[in-house]
Amino acid sequence: MSDLEKDPAELVCPAGTADGPVAELLEARQVVLGRTTKVRRLLPNKNRRMVGAWCFVDHYGPDDLTERVDSYDVPGERGMLVPPHPHTSLQTVSWLFEGEIEHRDSVGSHAMVRPGELNIMTAGNGIAHSEISLPTAPPMLHGAQLWVALPDSVRTTTAPAFNAYADLPVLVLDGAEATVMIGTVGGVTSPAPAYTPLVGADLRLEPGRTVTLPLTTDFEYAVLVVDGSLQIEEHTPGFGEMVYLGTGRSQIDLTAPDGARCLLLGGEPFEEELVMWWNFIGRTHEEVVAARNDWMASIEAGGNDRFPVVPGYDGEPLPAPGLPGTRLKPRPRSR
Ligand code: MN
Protein backbone atom coordinates (compact mmCIF):
# COMPACT_ATOMS: atom_id res chain seq x y z
CA MET A 1 0.00 0.00 0.00
CA SER A 2 1.01 3.52 -0.58
CA ASP A 3 -0.11 7.06 -0.48
CA LEU A 4 -2.73 6.97 -3.23
CA GLU A 5 -4.44 10.23 -2.37
CA LYS A 6 -5.37 12.09 -5.53
CA ASP A 7 -4.34 15.52 -4.27
CA PRO A 8 -1.86 14.98 -1.48
CA ALA A 9 -0.58 17.92 0.54
CA GLU A 10 3.10 18.60 0.95
CA LEU A 11 3.91 18.21 4.59
CA VAL A 12 6.88 19.43 6.58
CA CYS A 13 7.77 17.14 9.47
CA PRO A 14 9.96 19.03 11.93
CA ALA A 15 12.88 17.40 13.69
CA GLY A 16 11.84 15.43 16.77
CA THR A 17 12.61 16.34 20.35
CA ALA A 18 12.84 14.30 23.55
CA ASP A 19 10.08 15.80 25.70
CA GLY A 20 9.84 13.04 28.27
CA PRO A 21 6.97 10.69 29.07
CA VAL A 22 3.46 11.61 27.93
CA ALA A 23 0.35 9.62 27.05
CA GLU A 24 -1.58 11.11 24.14
CA LEU A 25 -4.42 9.40 22.30
CA LEU A 26 -3.95 9.78 18.52
CA GLU A 27 -7.00 9.23 16.38
CA ALA A 28 -6.77 8.04 12.80
CA ARG A 29 -7.74 10.12 9.83
CA GLN A 30 -9.95 8.28 7.33
CA VAL A 31 -8.30 8.35 3.92
CA VAL A 32 -10.22 7.22 0.86
CA LEU A 33 -8.21 5.23 -1.66
CA GLY A 34 -9.78 4.51 -5.01
CA ARG A 35 -13.52 5.14 -4.89
CA THR A 36 -14.72 3.67 -1.62
CA THR A 37 -11.93 1.97 0.26
CA LYS A 38 -11.07 3.68 3.51
CA VAL A 39 -7.86 3.25 5.41
CA ARG A 40 -6.98 4.74 8.77
CA ARG A 41 -3.92 7.01 8.72
CA LEU A 42 -2.27 7.34 12.12
CA LEU A 43 0.92 9.07 10.97
CA PRO A 44 1.48 11.79 10.00
CA ASN A 45 -1.11 12.91 12.57
CA LYS A 46 -2.20 16.48 13.13
CA ASN A 47 -0.88 16.19 16.67
CA ARG A 48 2.21 14.11 15.95
CA ARG A 49 4.19 13.88 12.73
CA MET A 50 6.60 11.05 13.55
CA VAL A 51 7.54 8.44 16.16
CA GLY A 52 11.28 7.98 15.92
CA ALA A 53 11.95 7.49 12.20
CA TRP A 54 8.44 6.05 11.68
CA CYS A 55 6.82 8.70 9.51
CA PHE A 56 3.80 7.01 7.90
CA VAL A 57 1.33 4.52 9.36
CA ASP A 58 -1.76 3.31 7.49
CA HIS A 59 -3.95 0.65 9.13
CA TYR A 60 -6.37 -1.13 6.78
CA GLY A 61 -9.01 -3.83 7.08
CA PRO A 62 -10.01 -6.35 8.13
CA ASP A 63 -11.82 -6.33 4.79
CA ASP A 64 -13.63 -9.27 3.23
CA LEU A 65 -12.40 -9.17 -0.35
CA THR A 66 -15.22 -11.42 -1.51
CA GLU A 67 -17.68 -8.66 -0.59
CA ARG A 68 -15.62 -5.86 -2.05
CA VAL A 69 -16.69 -4.21 -5.27
CA ASP A 70 -13.86 -1.72 -5.52
CA SER A 71 -10.23 -2.45 -4.97
CA TYR A 72 -7.88 -0.19 -3.13
CA ASP A 73 -7.26 1.58 -6.40
CA VAL A 74 -9.13 0.22 -9.38
CA PRO A 75 -12.93 -0.09 -9.43
CA GLY A 76 -14.18 -3.58 -10.12
CA GLU A 77 -11.00 -5.34 -9.12
CA ARG A 78 -10.70 -7.51 -6.06
CA GLY A 79 -8.65 -6.45 -3.07
CA MET A 80 -5.46 -4.45 -3.27
CA LEU A 81 -4.26 -3.33 -6.67
CA VAL A 82 -1.47 -0.78 -6.42
CA PRO A 83 0.41 -0.42 -9.71
CA PRO A 84 4.15 0.37 -9.83
CA HIS A 85 4.85 3.64 -8.01
CA PRO A 86 8.06 5.23 -6.70
CA HIS A 87 9.59 5.90 -3.30
CA THR A 88 12.61 7.92 -2.16
CA SER A 89 14.58 8.31 1.08
CA LEU A 90 12.50 5.82 3.05
CA GLN A 91 11.92 2.17 3.88
CA THR A 92 8.50 0.59 3.45
CA VAL A 93 7.48 -2.01 6.02
CA SER A 94 4.59 -4.22 4.87
CA TRP A 95 2.96 -6.08 7.77
CA LEU A 96 -0.12 -8.28 7.55
CA PHE A 97 -2.37 -9.61 10.31
CA GLU A 98 -4.50 -11.51 7.78
CA GLY A 99 -4.37 -12.13 4.05
CA GLU A 100 -1.71 -12.11 1.37
CA ILE A 101 -0.25 -9.53 -1.03
CA GLU A 102 2.07 -10.00 -3.98
CA HIS A 103 5.06 -7.63 -4.04
CA ARG A 104 7.22 -6.82 -7.05
CA ASP A 105 9.88 -4.12 -7.26
CA SER A 106 12.40 -2.49 -9.56
CA VAL A 107 15.38 -4.35 -8.07
CA GLY A 108 13.73 -7.51 -9.40
CA SER A 109 12.14 -8.85 -6.21
CA HIS A 110 9.02 -10.96 -6.34
CA ALA A 111 7.60 -11.96 -2.96
CA MET A 112 4.37 -12.88 -1.23
CA VAL A 113 3.67 -10.76 1.86
CA ARG A 114 2.13 -13.00 4.53
CA PRO A 115 1.01 -12.55 8.15
CA GLY A 116 3.85 -12.47 10.66
CA GLU A 117 6.51 -12.11 7.96
CA LEU A 118 8.46 -8.90 7.51
CA ASN A 119 8.88 -7.39 4.08
CA ILE A 120 11.06 -4.30 4.16
CA MET A 121 12.02 -2.32 1.09
CA THR A 122 14.78 0.28 1.24
CA ALA A 123 14.30 2.97 -1.39
CA GLY A 124 17.62 4.76 -1.18
CA ASN A 125 17.56 7.39 -3.92
CA GLY A 126 14.79 5.62 -5.81
CA ILE A 127 12.81 2.41 -6.18
CA ALA A 128 9.43 1.42 -7.61
CA HIS A 129 7.10 -1.36 -6.52
CA SER A 130 3.65 -2.87 -7.03
CA GLU A 131 1.34 -4.54 -4.48
CA ILE A 132 -1.49 -6.79 -5.63
CA SER A 133 -4.13 -9.10 -4.17
CA LEU A 134 -3.94 -12.19 -6.39
CA PRO A 135 -7.14 -14.10 -7.13
CA THR A 136 -5.74 -16.90 -4.97
CA ALA A 137 -5.40 -14.64 -1.89
CA PRO A 138 -7.39 -15.54 1.25
CA PRO A 139 -10.65 -13.56 1.55
CA MET A 140 -9.71 -11.42 4.56
CA LEU A 141 -7.15 -8.62 4.34
CA HIS A 142 -5.91 -6.79 7.45
CA GLY A 143 -2.58 -5.04 7.72
CA ALA A 144 -0.43 -2.01 8.17
CA GLN A 145 1.73 -0.08 5.77
CA LEU A 146 4.55 1.69 7.55
CA TRP A 147 7.34 3.97 6.35
CA VAL A 148 10.67 4.58 8.03
CA ALA A 149 12.53 7.79 7.10
CA LEU A 150 16.16 7.26 6.11
CA PRO A 151 18.71 9.65 7.64
CA ASP A 152 20.52 12.09 5.38
CA SER A 153 23.80 10.20 5.81
CA VAL A 154 22.52 7.20 3.82
CA ARG A 155 19.30 8.17 2.12
CA THR A 156 20.71 8.83 -1.36
CA THR A 157 23.73 6.51 -1.17
CA THR A 158 22.37 3.25 0.22
CA ALA A 159 21.47 0.83 -2.56
CA PRO A 160 17.78 0.15 -3.22
CA ALA A 161 17.00 -3.22 -1.65
CA PHE A 162 14.25 -5.59 -0.61
CA ASN A 163 14.51 -7.96 2.36
CA ALA A 164 12.00 -10.56 3.53
CA TYR A 165 12.09 -12.37 6.89
CA ALA A 166 9.73 -15.28 7.36
CA ASP A 167 11.06 -16.34 10.74
CA LEU A 168 11.33 -13.34 13.05
CA PRO A 169 12.45 -13.62 16.68
CA VAL A 170 9.76 -13.65 19.38
CA LEU A 171 10.04 -12.12 22.84
CA VAL A 172 8.07 -14.11 25.41
CA LEU A 173 6.80 -12.05 28.33
CA ASP A 174 4.58 -12.95 31.26
CA GLY A 175 1.14 -12.59 29.62
CA ALA A 176 2.23 -11.64 26.12
CA GLU A 177 4.34 -12.47 23.10
CA ALA A 178 6.01 -9.95 20.82
CA THR A 179 7.25 -10.67 17.31
CA VAL A 180 10.17 -8.28 16.80
CA MET A 181 9.88 -6.79 13.31
CA ILE A 182 12.82 -4.39 13.51
CA GLY A 183 15.24 -3.31 16.22
CA THR A 184 15.34 -4.78 19.75
CA VAL A 185 12.71 -5.37 22.44
CA GLY A 186 13.65 -6.93 25.76
CA GLY A 187 16.99 -8.13 24.39
CA VAL A 188 15.43 -9.82 21.35
CA THR A 189 16.70 -8.37 18.06
CA SER A 190 15.33 -8.53 14.52
CA PRO A 191 17.74 -9.09 11.60
CA ALA A 192 16.00 -6.39 9.52
CA PRO A 193 18.16 -3.48 8.35
CA ALA A 194 17.67 -0.19 10.23
CA TYR A 195 19.55 3.06 9.72
CA THR A 196 18.51 4.89 12.90
CA PRO A 197 17.89 3.50 16.42
CA LEU A 198 14.42 2.08 15.87
CA VAL A 199 12.00 -0.61 17.01
CA GLY A 200 8.82 -2.22 15.73
CA ALA A 201 7.03 -5.20 17.27
CA ASP A 202 3.70 -7.04 16.99
CA LEU A 203 2.35 -7.73 20.51
CA ARG A 204 -0.31 -10.27 21.42
CA LEU A 205 -1.62 -9.91 24.97
CA GLU A 206 -3.54 -12.60 26.84
CA PRO A 207 -6.97 -11.68 28.25
CA GLY A 208 -7.06 -10.27 31.75
CA ARG A 209 -3.34 -9.68 32.00
CA THR A 210 -1.17 -6.66 32.68
CA VAL A 211 2.12 -6.89 30.83
CA THR A 212 5.19 -4.87 31.70
CA LEU A 213 6.96 -4.10 28.45
CA PRO A 214 10.65 -3.14 28.64
CA LEU A 215 11.45 0.13 26.82
CA THR A 216 14.56 2.14 25.95
CA THR A 217 14.63 5.51 27.73
CA ASP A 218 16.18 7.36 24.75
CA PHE A 219 13.34 6.23 22.45
CA GLU A 220 9.90 7.70 21.94
CA TYR A 221 7.11 5.15 21.51
CA ALA A 222 3.57 4.66 20.31
CA VAL A 223 1.18 1.71 20.52
CA LEU A 224 -1.41 1.05 17.79
CA VAL A 225 -4.26 -1.30 18.73
CA VAL A 226 -5.38 -3.57 15.86
CA ASP A 227 -7.57 -6.01 17.83
CA GLY A 228 -9.26 -5.83 21.24
CA SER A 229 -8.48 -2.91 23.53
CA LEU A 230 -5.84 -1.81 26.01
CA GLN A 231 -5.55 0.18 29.19
CA ILE A 232 -2.45 2.40 28.95
CA GLU A 233 -2.24 4.83 31.84
CA GLU A 234 -5.40 6.99 31.56
CA HIS A 235 -6.23 5.86 28.01
CA THR A 236 -8.22 2.88 26.74
CA PRO A 237 -7.36 2.71 23.03
CA GLY A 238 -9.50 0.36 20.95
CA PHE A 239 -9.34 -0.89 17.38
CA GLY A 240 -7.42 1.51 15.13
CA GLU A 241 -6.38 3.93 17.89
CA MET A 242 -2.83 4.84 18.86
CA VAL A 243 -1.34 6.14 22.09
CA TYR A 244 1.86 8.20 21.89
CA LEU A 245 4.05 7.64 24.95
CA GLY A 246 6.92 10.12 24.53
CA THR A 247 10.47 9.47 25.68
CA GLY A 248 12.12 8.77 29.02
CA ARG A 249 10.42 5.50 29.95
CA SER A 250 12.23 2.31 30.90
CA GLN A 251 8.99 0.31 30.81
CA ILE A 252 5.24 0.58 30.30
CA ASP A 253 2.33 -1.42 31.73
CA LEU A 254 -0.23 -2.58 29.18
CA THR A 255 -3.49 -4.16 30.39
CA ALA A 256 -5.74 -6.15 28.04
CA PRO A 257 -9.01 -7.03 29.79
CA ASP A 258 -10.25 -9.12 26.84
CA GLY A 259 -6.93 -9.70 25.10
CA ALA A 260 -5.42 -7.45 22.49
CA ARG A 261 -3.08 -7.26 19.56
CA CYS A 262 -1.08 -4.10 18.93
CA LEU A 263 1.95 -2.71 17.16
CA LEU A 264 4.69 -1.12 19.22
CA LEU A 265 6.59 1.52 17.25
CA GLY A 266 9.52 3.48 18.63
CA GLY A 267 12.89 5.01 18.07
CA GLU A 268 15.18 7.86 18.88
CA PRO A 269 13.48 11.14 17.96
CA PHE A 270 14.40 11.73 14.30
CA GLU A 271 16.78 14.67 14.17
CA GLU A 272 16.14 15.92 10.64
CA GLU A 273 13.26 17.88 9.17
CA LEU A 274 11.48 16.04 6.37
CA VAL A 275 9.42 17.18 3.41
CA MET A 276 6.85 14.54 2.50
CA TRP A 277 4.70 14.57 -0.61
CA TRP A 278 2.85 11.64 -2.18
CA ASN A 279 5.27 8.69 -2.06
CA PHE A 280 8.40 10.81 -1.83
CA ILE A 281 10.42 11.97 1.13
CA GLY A 282 13.00 14.70 0.70
CA ARG A 283 14.48 17.58 2.58
CA THR A 284 13.27 20.37 0.29
CA HIS A 285 10.33 21.12 -1.97
CA GLU A 286 12.69 21.25 -4.94
CA GLU A 287 13.93 17.75 -4.21
CA VAL A 288 10.39 16.39 -4.20
CA VAL A 289 9.66 18.15 -7.48
CA ALA A 290 12.79 16.56 -8.99
CA ALA A 291 11.71 13.11 -7.81
CA ARG A 292 8.31 13.62 -9.40
CA ASN A 293 9.92 14.69 -12.68
CA ASP A 294 12.20 11.64 -12.62
CA TRP A 295 9.23 9.33 -12.01
CA MET A 296 7.16 10.83 -14.82
CA ALA A 297 10.20 10.57 -17.12
CA SER A 298 10.55 6.91 -16.09
CA ILE A 299 6.94 6.22 -17.10
CA GLU A 300 7.54 7.95 -20.43
CA ALA A 301 10.75 6.03 -21.11
CA GLY A 302 9.69 2.61 -19.77
CA GLY A 303 12.12 2.90 -16.85
CA ASN A 304 15.19 5.02 -16.14
CA ASP A 305 18.27 4.91 -13.91
CA ARG A 306 16.52 6.27 -10.82
CA PHE A 307 13.23 4.37 -11.20
CA PRO A 308 13.75 1.21 -13.28
CA VAL A 309 10.76 -0.72 -14.57
CA VAL A 310 9.11 -3.26 -12.22
CA PRO A 311 9.74 -6.59 -13.99
CA GLY A 312 6.81 -8.98 -14.21
CA TYR A 313 4.09 -6.43 -13.51
CA ASP A 314 1.35 -6.64 -16.13
CA GLY A 315 -0.05 -3.14 -16.50
CA GLU A 316 0.65 0.56 -16.45
CA PRO A 317 2.56 2.34 -13.66
CA LEU A 318 0.84 4.92 -11.46
CA PRO A 319 1.32 8.52 -12.58
CA ALA A 320 2.11 11.09 -9.91
CA PRO A 321 -0.60 13.58 -8.95
CA GLY A 322 -0.20 17.26 -9.86
CA LEU A 323 2.76 19.08 -8.42
CA PRO A 324 2.54 20.36 -4.88
CA GLY A 325 2.02 24.11 -4.88
CA THR A 326 2.42 25.54 -1.45
CA ARG A 327 4.39 24.38 1.51
CA LEU A 328 2.40 23.86 4.66
CA LYS A 329 3.84 25.53 7.69
CA PRO A 330 5.36 23.11 10.18
CA ARG A 331 3.49 22.66 13.40
CA PRO A 332 5.41 22.64 16.63
CA ARG A 333 5.72 19.22 18.24
CA SER A 334 3.78 20.43 21.22
CA ARG A 335 2.57 18.04 23.87
MN1 MN B 1 4.48 1.90 -1.86
Side-chain angles (χ1 to χ4, degrees):
M1 184 91 74
S2 282
D3 191 342
L4 296 175
E5 285 189 277
K6 300 297 183 231
D7 186 22
E10 185 175 82
L11 206 58
V12 175
C13 302
T17 52
D19 292 332
V22 296
E24 298 169 355
L25 186 67
L26 300 183
E27 291 182 7
R29 182 164 68 93
Q30 298 280 337
V31 178
V32 178
L33 305 181
R35 289 201 306 188
T36 61
T37 298
K38 288 179 180 166
V39 305
R40 296 169 296 280
R41 182 154 303 161
L42 281 307
L43 290 179
N45 194 288
K46 64 185 188 324
N47 295 320
R48 184 63 55 184
R49 294 290 199 235
M50 297 176 73
V51 177
W54 299 102
C55 60
F56 182 95
V57 177
D58 268 0
H59 177 211
Y60 55 92
D63 287 322
D64 186 341
L65 304 187
T66 61
E67 294 177 357
R68 177 172 299 289
V69 176
D70 283 1
S71 78
Y72 283 83
D73 192 51
V74 177
E77 295 289 340
R78 176 180 181 269
M80 186 179 291
L81 179 47
V82 186
H85 60 278
H87 289 293
T88 57
S89 296
L90 60 86
Q91 293 173 293
T92 62
V93 172
S94 302
W95 189 256
L96 289 181
F97 307 106
E98 287 181 276
E100 187 179 76
I101 294 168
E102 180 201 54
H103 165 98
R104 292 180 187 271
D105 64 42
S106 56
V107 298
S109 316
H110 179 213
M112 301 309 295
V113 182
R114 298 194 175 100
E117 301 181 4
L118 180 72
N119 292 267
I120 184 164
M121 186 180 78
T122 303
N125 198 44
I127 200 167
H129 72 146
S130 62
E131 293 159 296
I132 301 291
S133 296
L134 295 179
T136 52
M140 299 302 290
L141 183 62
H142 182 198
Q145 174 66 39
L146 311 158
W147 294 357
V148 177
L150 291 172
D152 201 45
S153 55
V154 304
R155 68 190 181 92
T156 58
T157 53
T158 194
F162 175 79
N163 299 89
Y165 302 93
D167 193 16
L168 292 167
V170 175
L171 170 68
V172 178
L173 295 162
D174 188 19
E177 282 188 351
T179 301
V180 183
M181 300 153 62
I182 191 165
T184 300
V185 188
V188 173
T189 300
S190 162
Y195 296 89
T196 54
L198 187 74
V199 71
D202 180 337
L203 275 67
R204 297 164 302 277
L205 287 82
E206 295 168 15
R209 302 294 297 270
T210 293
V211 173
T212 301
L213 190 67
L215 302 180
T216 300
T217 54
D218 292 345
F219 283 18
E220 57 183 344
Y221 288 94
V223 173
L224 166 63
V225 177
V226 302
D227 192 24
S229 64
L230 286 178
Q231 179 84 41
I232 308 177
E233 297 191 337
E234 70 269 35
H235 297 293
T236 53
F239 174 82
E241 292 181 325
M242 183 181 255
V243 174
Y244 174 74
L245 295 167
T247 55
R249 297 174 184 271
S250 60
Q251 60 183 54
I252 186 80
D253 285 346
L254 306 176
T255 301
D258 302 311
R261 187 168 186 179
C262 57
L263 290 183
L264 174 75
L265 303 175
E268 280 185 7
F270 195 77
E271 292 181 341
E272 301 165 28
E273 181 180 286
L274 304 180
V275 175
M276 291 178 66
W277 179 76
W278 194 47
N279 292 300
F280 301 126
I281 290 182
R283 296 298 183 273
T284 65
H285 171 74
E286 292 70 25
E287 202 184 309
V288 164
V289 171
R292 183 188 183 280
N293 289 340
D294 289 344
W295 172 243
M296 296 308 278
S298 168
I299 293 178
E300 194 70 28
N304 58 18
D305 284 350
R306 188 172 190 186
F307 300 114
V309 74
V310 175
Y313 180 82
D314 182 20
E316 297 298 313
L318 188 67
L323 276 169
T326 53
R327 261 174 90 113
L328 298 183
K329 286 210 173 91
R331 293 171 62 98
R333 283 175 66 115
S334 57
R335 296 188 198 181

